[in-house]
């Protein structure tokens, strides 16, 4: 019986598509023979009426009573330029492997363990068996993370999801802090702010695969084989990214705190840990200068295709700053770094000191972020073993990830301590896009 593969178009320009189906997980360095090949996605069947904008399908030979690992690869000039992978569970019935997922979360059992003592929970807050990486590979939204090339830039697509933050009510974890992700709207869940542009929901955003560099046209870039740009201010990087938005290209910008938060949510719930260095990789933190964006150390500090997600350089981010003693936020503003800011009315637990978060603020204005509420001086035995620093000065902007020269780099490392004009040799940024 045939298998109908339904997926969203994920590459702007390809010569053709290859479809791989296997009963076991596939090694990207030794892929099996494709079960089918087609020309570009315009030849596929339109599924938008039932599955939403950009949905298409293709039927391949497979026994749909057997579960399968599926890979769809976009090919340009005989080389793979982007791909999607997901898992088809035959027990779900039918031949449609469109990525779907259940509500899943984590709860903080104890903050006195490095990375936090967290366990996976269901929507009601009951402990469940940790699914493991292979299961997340087939679970939306993780299943729809995909490498894509846009305007010649290597980007990673992050698909929309809905979130819930708050204490578990009842049961074994009653009152404990928890984080949940839902693949679709559900009671008590809100679309993550990273997927809201000009008041409307969007299906995804794109995060630079590599730390930012400056190309020959003075534009912020995301490409392999180069040293990341440093010694430029966040204002300059903001402008460098927007230079890409010409000749029909749109939506490019520097990374934003909402985007970072979405990635942190996905990494946290997948790993049930805040210790990104132990779970995923250390990253570069013992060098006098940054290495190439795709160096071994940067490939070590990766999350689902995002290389150098931490370490090597501090990456300047939009959307969060300190001003008047409070955190200020703004959405996806364009044209200027200084407009659109709103005070949350929330002040840091401590300023001008290195902090390691033990518990996190739950105020509604910042509940989607990971902002310290109580702290410890050492990274040992704390929930988030990543360095954070909040300035008491006004109009101080944020950087994330940690640099090459030491400290504690990690996915949750956050410094809100940069003037708009500040530059140094271990601070850069990263390209992003939302439309």
């Amino acid at each position: 019986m045939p298998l109908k593969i339904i997926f969203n178009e994920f590459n702007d320009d390809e010569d053709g598509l290859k479809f791989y189906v296997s009963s076991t997980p596939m090694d990207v360095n030794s892929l099996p023979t494709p079960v089918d090949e087609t020309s570009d996605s315009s030849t596929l069947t339109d599924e938008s009426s039932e599955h939403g904008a950009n949905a298409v399908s293709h039927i391949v030979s497979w026994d749909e009573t057997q579960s399968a690992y599926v890979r769809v690869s976009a090919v340009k000039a005989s080389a793979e330029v982007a791909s999607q992978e997901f898992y088809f569970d035959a027990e779900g019935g039918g031949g449609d492997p469109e990525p779907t997922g259940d509500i899943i979360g984590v709860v903080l059992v104890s903050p006195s363990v490095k990375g936090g003592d967290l366990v996976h929970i269901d929507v009601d807050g009951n402990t469940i068996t940790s699914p493991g990486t292979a299961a997340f590979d087939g679970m939306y939204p993780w299943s729809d993370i995909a490498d894509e090339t846009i305007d010649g830039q290597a980007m990673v697509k992050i698909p929309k999801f809905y979130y819930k933050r708050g204490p578990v009510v009842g049961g074994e974890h009653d009152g404990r802090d928890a984080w949940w992700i839902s693949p679709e709207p559900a009671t008590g869940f809100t679309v993550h702010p990273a997927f809201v542009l000009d008041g409307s929901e969007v299906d995804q955003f794109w995060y630079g695969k590599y730390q930012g560099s400056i190309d020959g046209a003075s534009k912020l870039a995301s490409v392999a084989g180069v040293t990341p740009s440093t010694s430029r201010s966040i204002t300059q990087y903001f402008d460098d990214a927007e230079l890409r938005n010409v000749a029909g290209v749109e939506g490019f910008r520097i990374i934003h705190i909402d985007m970072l938060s979405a990635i942190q949510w996905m990494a946290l719930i997948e790993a049930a840990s805040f210790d990104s260095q132990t779970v995923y990789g250390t990253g570069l933190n013992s060098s006098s200068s940054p290495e190439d964006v795709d160096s071994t150390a940067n490939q070590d500090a990766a999350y689902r295709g995002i290389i150098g997600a931490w370490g090597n350089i501090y990456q300047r981010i939009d959307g969060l700053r300190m001003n008047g003693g409070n955190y200020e936020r703004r959405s996806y503003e364009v044209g200027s770094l200084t407009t659109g800011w709103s005070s949350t009315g929330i002040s840091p637990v401590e300023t001008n000191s290195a902090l390691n978060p033990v518990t996190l603020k739950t105020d509604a204005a910042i509940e989607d972020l990971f902002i310290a509420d109580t702290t410890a001086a050492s990274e040992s035995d704390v929930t988030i073993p990543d360095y954070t620093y909040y300035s008491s000065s006004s109009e101080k902007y944020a950087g994330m990830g940690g640099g090459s020269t030491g400290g504690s780099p990690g996915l949750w490392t956050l410094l809100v301590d940069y003037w708009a004009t500040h530059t140094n040799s271990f601070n850069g940024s990263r390209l992003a896009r939302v439309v």
Side-chain angles (χ1 to χ4, degrees):
M1 299 174 67
L3 179 67
K4 183 179 182 182
I5 301 173
I6 301 176
F7 59 100
N8 289 325
E9 295 184 74
F10 58 92
N11 192 65
D12 290 344
D13 180 27
E14 73 273 338
D15 295 334
L17 298 165
K18 293 183 178 181
F19 296 84
Y20 302 88
V21 184
S22 173
S23 59
T24 59
M26 285 176 269
D27 180 354
V28 296
N29 297 311
S30 182
L31 292 170
T33 301
V35 297
D36 201 5
E37 299 184 39
T38 69
S39 55
D40 64 49
S41 58
S42 65
T43 64
L44 304 179
T45 302
D46 185 351
E47 297 283 351
S48 59
S49 62
E50 184 174 353
H51 296 281
N54 302 318
V56 292
S57 70
H58 184 64
I59 295 174
V60 299
S61 296
W62 184 261
D63 182 357
E64 67 176 32
T65 66
Q66 301 297 312
S67 297
Y69 293 86
V70 177
R71 180 184 178 92
V72 182
S73 297
V75 177
K76 182 75 171 178
S78 301
E80 181 180 307
V81 294
S83 66
Q84 281 188 344
E85 294 186 2
F86 37 83
Y87 180 69
F88 166 57
D89 185 356
E91 294 182 359
D96 178 358
E98 182 182 34
T100 59
D102 296 323
I103 293 172
I104 187 170
V106 293
V107 60
L108 182 62
V109 177
S110 172
S112 59
V113 175
K114 186 177 181 180
D117 178 10
L118 298 113
V119 297
H120 284 107
I121 54 174
D122 63 17
V123 65
D124 297 316
N126 302 309
T127 299
I128 61 173
T129 301
S130 293
T133 300
F136 279 100
D137 288 345
M139 186 187 306
Y140 184 90
W142 295 268
S143 59
D144 270 23
I145 297 174
D147 283 5
E148 298 188 4
T149 302
I150 305 172
D151 193 38
Q153 307 307 300
M155 309 296 291
V156 178
K157 183 188 77 173
I158 307 297
K160 178 173 66 175
F161 63 82
Y162 300 79
Y163 80 99
K164 179 181 177 182
R165 167 84 189 282
V168 174
V169 178
E172 61 183 313
H173 299 302
D174 185 44
R176 290 173 172 165
D177 204 6
W179 298 259
W180 288 270
I181 280 179
S182 173
E184 57 190 7
T187 302
F189 285 75
T190 303
V191 65
H192 192 281
F195 306 102
V196 178
L197 175 65
D198 296 332
S200 299
E201 292 187 20
V202 295
D203 291 334
Q204 67 276 305
F205 66 82
W206 292 266
Y207 204 80
K209 185 174 182 67
Y210 304 106
Q211 294 169 356
S213 55
I214 302 296
D215 68 12
S218 300
K219 301 176 182 179
L220 190 62
S222 176
V223 295
V226 297
T227 302
S229 170
T230 60
S231 300
R232 295 175 69 77
S233 69
I234 185 174
T235 303
Q236 289 173 306
Y237 285 122
F238 185 88
D239 293 340
D240 298 336
E242 291 206 338
L243 285 175
R244 291 211 161 272
N245 300 323
V246 295
V249 176
E250 59 180 349
F252 279 105
R253 57 179 309 112
I254 62 172
I255 54 175
H256 191 282
I257 189 67
D258 294 347
M259 296 174 170
L260 173 63
S261 168
I263 292 165
Q264 290 170 330
W265 274 76
M266 297 179 75
L268 168 64
I269 291 179
E270 180 174 359
S273 175
F274 284 99
D275 191 354
S276 55
Q277 286 192 321
T278 298
V279 173
Y280 297 110
T282 302
L284 187 68
N285 68 342
S286 59
S287 173
S288 60
S289 60
E291 295 181 355
D292 280 2
V293 295
D294 54 348
S295 71
T296 299
N298 282 316
Q299 292 190 49
D300 182 51
Y303 179 67
R304 289 198 170 264
I306 301 170
I307 307 301
W310 55 89
N312 204 40
I313 58 170
Y314 281 94
Q315 301 167 55
R316 305 293 182 86
I317 56 177
D318 192 6
L320 179 70
R321 72 178 186 178
M322 295 300 304
N323 198 22
N326 292 324
Y327 301 105
E328 288 190 338
R329 299 184 68 173
R330 71 173 193 164
S331 57
Y332 294 130
E333 301 290 334
V334 298
S336 172
L337 186 67
T338 60
T339 59
W341 293 97
S342 297
S343 176
T344 64
I346 302 164
S347 59
V349 61
E350 188 176 349
T351 59
N352 305 331
S353 297
L355 307 172
N356 291 276
V358 177
T359 59
L360 300 166
K361 287 186 178 294
T362 59
D363 306 74
I366 55 173
E367 68 173 3
D368 56 300
L369 305 182
F370 297 87
I371 302 295
D373 190 22
T374 62
T375 64
S378 171
E379 68 180 46
S380 300
D381 303 329
V382 295
T383 303
I384 300 184
D386 290 345
Y387 173 82
T388 58
Y389 187 101
Y390 309 117
S391 175
S392 62
S393 300
S394 291
E395 296 190 15
K396 286 292 193 82
Y397 295 84
M400 62 78 54
S404 65
T405 56
S408 179
L411 187 57
W412 282 271
T413 296
L414 180 68
L415 276 72
V416 192
D417 189 37
Y418 299 107
W419 301 113
T421 56
H422 176 81
T423 67
N424 63 43
S425 60
F426 51 89
N427 283 271
S429 191
R430 185 183 291 255
L431 189 65
R433 181 176 185 254
V434 60
V435 291

